[in-house]
Amino acid sequence: MADRHSIDEYLETIYFLAFPIGEYTPKGAGSPPLASRVAEMLGVSRASAGEMLKRLEVEGLIERGEKKEALLTTTGRARAERVVRKHRLIERLLTDFMGYTGAEAHERADQLGDTFDDEMIERIDERLGHPQRCPHGWPVDPAFEQSENLELAPLAALGPGTRATIVRLAEHDGELLHWFYDQGLVPGQAIEIRSAEPAADQFTVTLDGGERAVSEKAAAGLFVRPF
């Protein structure tokens, strides 16, 4: 697991963990250490994640809490929010103007993050008409994202018979993101949970009159608004 991820990508990941919808936990884990959670999301070794977390702490971007968890400092949070907003606007640029799919846009946005400075991002925002969300449903405005989190739940936390609208798709796993789009599990889509068997790694949902089998990992990355 070679670590080619930048400081900004780590901050984006820690930001996701700092403002969870429910509690994100890697597949098969209980309450793993932060380094394990970050490593799982970025696809790197725990050692690599641990080294970068130490670097972020030295640079004053994170600090350790009472339980050794990483807390974004004021400086770290401000930078993380800029990174998140930039990433989501670049994704919109790629889908709205360049014809990339939502899944492709996420991968490209990671590669292009350092290409655009703050002034360019503001121009992109204006040219796009100040979009409210990225292609995967995440709000461009971090403050709105954090308030909306209270209204949402991961599909994996809900029981059979629940009807909901998909609002956001987890982005940290590229293969999973492609799968969501291939299955039609996209923001705005209404679904109903027919069965939920987390122990068997199996959920079944109805979608457009048909059924879809959803793994526990996928269900944990579908953020929905029950109705």
Side-chain angles (χ1 to χ4, degrees), residues 16 21 26 49-50 58 92 102 159 166 182-183 220 223:
F16 175 80
I21 307 168
V58 169
R92 290 308 304 243
I166 298 172
D182 290 342
Q183 296 296 314
F223 303 112

Side-chain angles (χ1 to χ4, degrees), residues 3-4 54 62 81 84 88 103 111 119 124 135 137 151 160 209:
D3 193 348
R4 303 183 182 88
K54 291 178 183 177
I62 66 172
E81 290 182 344
V84 166
R88 294 171 185 172
Q111 299 166 3
E119 190 268 340
I124 290 172
E151 305 171 10

Side-chain angles (χ1 to χ4, degrees), residues 7-175:
I7 285 179
D8 283 350
E9 288 177 90
Y10 270 87
L11 284 174
E12 189 174 4
T13 301
I14 294 169
Y15 172 88
F16 175 80
L17 294 170
F19 301 102
I21 307 168
E23 179 66 18
Y24 175 78
T25 304
K27 188 177 184 302
S31 297
L34 178 80
S36 294
R37 303 170 82 193
V38 172
E40 193 271 347
M41 291 180 67
L42 291 176
V44 300
S45 69
R46 180 177 172 182
S48 293
E51 286 300 314
M52 180 59 85
L53 291 174
K54 291 178 183 177
R55 179 178 173 184
L56 294 176
E57 191 171 3
V58 169
E59 295 191 13
L61 298 173
I62 66 172
E63 59 188 7
R64 296 294 182 159
E66 293 181 0
K67 298 181 180 179
K68 302 300 181 182
E69 73 275 25
L71 305 174
L72 290 166
T73 63
T74 300
T75 301
R77 177 170 173 172
R79 179 167 170 176
E81 290 182 344
R82 288 197 302 273
V83 170
V84 166
R85 180 172 179 270
K86 175 190 285 190
H87 180 95
R88 294 171 185 172
L89 285 170
I90 293 173
E91 286 181 325
R92 290 308 304 243
L93 174 68
L94 292 170
T95 56
D96 294 8
F97 279 87
M98 301 181 68
Y100 285 94
T101 65
E104 292 170 340
H106 174 69
E107 297 166 0
R108 296 288 185 175
D110 277 340
Q111 299 166 3
L112 293 171
D114 293 336
T115 305
F116 299 93
D117 61 24
D118 291 344
E119 190 268 340
M120 295 171 72
I121 288 298
E122 294 312 313
R123 290 195 178 205
I124 290 172
D125 184 32
E126 183 175 354
R127 182 58 61 93
L128 290 173
H130 307 292
Q132 295 184 347
R133 297 179 185 269
C134 80
H136 322 301
W138 294 84
V140 171
D141 178 3
F144 177 69
E145 173 191 349
Q146 292 155 26
S147 65
E148 187 183 61
N149 286 351
L150 302 175
E151 305 171 10
L152 308 181
L155 183 68
L158 304 176
T162 302
R163 301 175 65 192
T165 301
I166 298 172
V167 178
R168 308 180 196 164
L169 310 177
E171 297 182 302
H172 55 272
D173 186 324
E175 290 185 4

Side-chain angles (χ1 to χ4, degrees), residues 155-156 158-160 193-204 214-217 219:
L155 183 68
L158 304 176
I193 302 176
R194 295 297 299 275
S195 65
E197 302 176 63
D201 193 27
Q202 185 72 48
F203 291 75
T204 304
V214 180
S215 69
E216 190 275 338
K217 179 179 180 181

